[in-house]
């Protein structure tokens, strides 16, 4: 295979992987109430299902740099896609245990893809990190939005929530096939190349690394709280489940145009500061609308919340541009994402428990509003530190 053909196949593979990074999560969120009715599980499992991905991202994501050193980054991505495909397919079995096991296995694959993808981009497209990051985060948002909006109709079409949920394994299998066609995907780790001597701990314990991790944790907490619970917030106030799923799809699809608006702002610290202000203010406004009048202007709240989730491509661009090599990028990505997801895992689970304990959404949304404000403050501090590091 020529170098040009291999580069194009790698780019297509990156896009297909990105397409799958949130499909399994947002589709489960949109079908959560139907799954609960079909399988008969209680509030604890209902709170656990949205929380499992972030917990798995933290636990398995921490092994990303080590796995890349052992088997090679390209092969590690291949193994991750295999785990994702099998995990999503397992959820076709109409049992609560299968739902939880499939979610865990699929999330393990997602966790590895999450932490390794910035390193893959850095290794293959070092001069186009911002462009490729924008493309793959846009694809993530699009895939997540499509799954959220289409999950209920697809489940209705196949007759049950469980097999309807497993339909989303098909795009994962496609990504696995395309990545497997790349000759480099089967290559073993090269000494001093794939892993190097950079540890995740050494990359993350700096002030810059800690701020990146804190921001990643806060934006992840907010993202997964929204993905996990926005349809339920609206349906609890009287909106139909299919329309509530569409509102989540709308919130997620806003990430497509917002990414193209925000990515040019990552080039300088001054512009990045404005980007953090824009996403922070939008997220707080969306939460405030859901708190005060959820059904008054649900489309506006969904759009504002979705734009606020644009913090994710911003922090990924910062990670991808950091470090002098793909190994340093992988180390920072591993530390910030695994630690960040560990801290963020309290978000979906905590929101669910607060809702169960208080019988409503006032306190959960007030807490999320406060965390969105904290995210903005951390982002502003991160821009100052990034400028000092770059100087």
């Amino acid at each position: 295979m020529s170098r040009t053909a291999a580069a194009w196949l790698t780019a297509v593979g990156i896009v297909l992987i990105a397409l799958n990074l949130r499909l399994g999560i947002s589709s489960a969120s949109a079908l959560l109430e139907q799954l609960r009715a079909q399988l008969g599980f209680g509030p604890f499992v209902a709170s656990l299902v949205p929380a499992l991905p972030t917990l798995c991202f933290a636990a398995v994501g921490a092994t990303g740099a080590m796995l890349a050193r052992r088997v090679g980054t390209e092969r590690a991505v291949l193994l991750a896609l295999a785990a994702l495909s099998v995990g999503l397919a397992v959820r076709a079995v109409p049992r609560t245990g299968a739902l939880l096991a499939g979610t865990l296995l699929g999330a393990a694959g997602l966790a590895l893809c999450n932490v390794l993808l910035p390193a893959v981009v850095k290794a293959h497209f070092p001069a186009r990190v911002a462009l490729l990051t924008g493309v793959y985060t846009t694809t993530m948002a699009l895939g997540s939005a499509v799954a959220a909006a289409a999950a209920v109709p697809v489940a209705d079409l196949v007759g049950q929530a469980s097999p309807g949920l497993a339909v989303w394994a098909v795009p994962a299998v496609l990504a696995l096939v395309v990545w497997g066609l790349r000759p480099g995907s089967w290559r073993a780790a090269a000494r001093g190349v794939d892993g190097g001597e950079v540890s995740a701990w050494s990359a993350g314990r700096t002030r810059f690394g800690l701020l990146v991790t804190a921001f990643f944790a806060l934006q992840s907490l907010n993202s997964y709280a929204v993905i996990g619970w926005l349809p339920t917030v609206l349906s609890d106030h009287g909106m139909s489940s299919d329309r509530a799923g569409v509102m989540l799809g709308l919130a997620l699809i806003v990430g497509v145009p917002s990414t193209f608006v925000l990515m040019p702002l990552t080039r300088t610290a001054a512009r990045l500061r404005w980007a953090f202000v824009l996403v922070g203010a939008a997220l707080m406004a969306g939460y405030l609308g859901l708190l005060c009048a959820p059904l008054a202007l649900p489309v506006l709240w969904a759009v504002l919340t979705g734009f606020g989730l644009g913090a994710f491509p911003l922090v990924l661009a910062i990670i991808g541009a950091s470090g002098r090599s793909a190994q340093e990028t992988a180390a920072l990505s591993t530390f910030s994402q695994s630690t960040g997801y560990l801290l963020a895992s309290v978000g979906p689970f905590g929101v669910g428990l607060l809702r169960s304990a208080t019988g409503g959404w006032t306190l959960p949304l007030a807490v999320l509003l406060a965390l969105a404000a904290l995210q903005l403050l951390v982002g502003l501090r991160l821009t100052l530190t990034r400028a000092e590091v770059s100087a």
Side-chain angles (χ1 to χ4, degrees):
M1 184 179 294
S2 68
R3 294 180 64 180
T4 301
W8 275 106
L9 194 58
T10 299
V12 171
I14 289 171
V15 171
L16 286 174
I17 293 168
L19 179 67
N20 283 278
L21 288 181
R22 298 296 179 269
L23 283 180
I25 299 171
S26 59
S27 57
S29 171
L31 288 170
L32 187 58
E33 293 305 311
Q34 287 194 20
L35 289 166
R36 187 173 179 177
Q38 176 194 331
L39 303 178
F41 52 77
F44 179 79
V45 173
S47 298
L48 187 59
V49 170
L52 277 178
T54 49
L55 286 168
C56 204
F57 288 174
V60 179
T63 69
M66 180 183 68
L67 182 64
R69 286 195 298 270
R70 295 280 183 90
V71 304
T73 303
E74 317 287 330
R75 192 184 291 183
V77 172
L78 193 67
L79 293 173
L81 289 172
L84 173 62
S85 301
V86 173
L88 295 184
V90 164
R91 300 199 297 186
V93 179
R95 297 287 186 273
T96 300
L99 172 64
L100 296 177
T103 299
L104 275 173
L105 182 58
L110 290 178
L112 293 171
C113 289
N114 277 333
V115 299
L116 295 175
L117 212 50
V120 170
V121 171
K122 180 89 168 183
H124 291 279
F125 305 98
R128 296 179 175 85
V129 170
L131 174 63
L132 263 294
T133 302
V135 169
Y136 89 68
T137 54
T138 299
T139 307
M140 283 175 59
L142 183 61
S144 186
V146 169
V152 173
V154 167
D156 290 342
L157 184 65
V158 299
Q160 265 193 330
S162 293
L165 193 59
V167 167
W168 302 100
V170 175
V173 173
L174 177 61
L176 174 63
V177 170
V178 171
W179 198 255
L181 290 174
R182 298 176 62 258
S185 297
W186 302 89
R187 188 182 303 138
R191 293 193 176 207
V193 175
D194 259 22
E197 300 297 328
V198 185
S199 72
W201 172 247
S202 64
R205 66 182 178 182
T206 63
R207 182 172 61 169
F208 177 72
L210 291 174
L211 282 169
V212 170
T213 300
F215 188 85
F216 193 93
L218 287 165
Q219 67 81 27
S220 295
L221 189 154
N222 281 298
S223 294
Y224 286 99
V226 169
I227 293 172
W229 291 108
L230 180 60
T232 307
V233 171
L234 295 172
S235 61
D236 278 358
H237 284 90
M239 184 177 287
S240 64
S241 61
D242 57 342
R243 190 175 177 221
V246 170
M247 289 300 105
L248 176 58
L250 176 62
L252 297 175
I253 206 168
V254 168
V256 176
S258 68
T259 297
F260 288 105
V261 171
L262 294 168
M263 291 308 291
L265 301 179
T266 63
R267 293 171 186 164
T268 66
R271 290 182 179 182
L272 184 60
R273 191 174 301 115
W274 278 108
F276 283 136
V277 169
L278 287 173
V279 297
L283 185 59
M284 288 187 285
Y287 282 155
L288 193 60
L290 290 170
L291 179 61
C292 298
L295 298 187
L297 295 168
V299 172
L300 178 59
W301 310 147
V303 169
L304 287 170
T305 303
F307 190 86
L309 300 186
F312 178 66
L314 292 178
V315 72
L316 277 189
I318 291 173
I319 293 171
S322 300
R324 293 164 295 182
S325 66
Q327 293 74 44
E328 290 186 5
T329 301
L332 178 60
S333 180
T334 295
F335 183 88
S336 60
Q337 293 203 46
S338 60
T339 307
Y341 280 128
L342 177 62
L343 297 173
S345 63
V346 302
F349 189 63
V351 166
L353 292 182
L354 281 176
R355 174 224 186 186
S356 298
T358 62
W361 288 103
T362 300
L363 183 57
L365 287 171
V367 170
L368 289 174
L369 181 60
L371 291 172
L374 179 59
Q375 174 187 303
L376 173 57
L377 294 176
V378 173
L380 294 176
R381 183 59 187 165
L382 177 57
T383 60
L384 294 175
T385 305
R386 187 193 186 200
E388 294 170 1
V389 170
S390 302

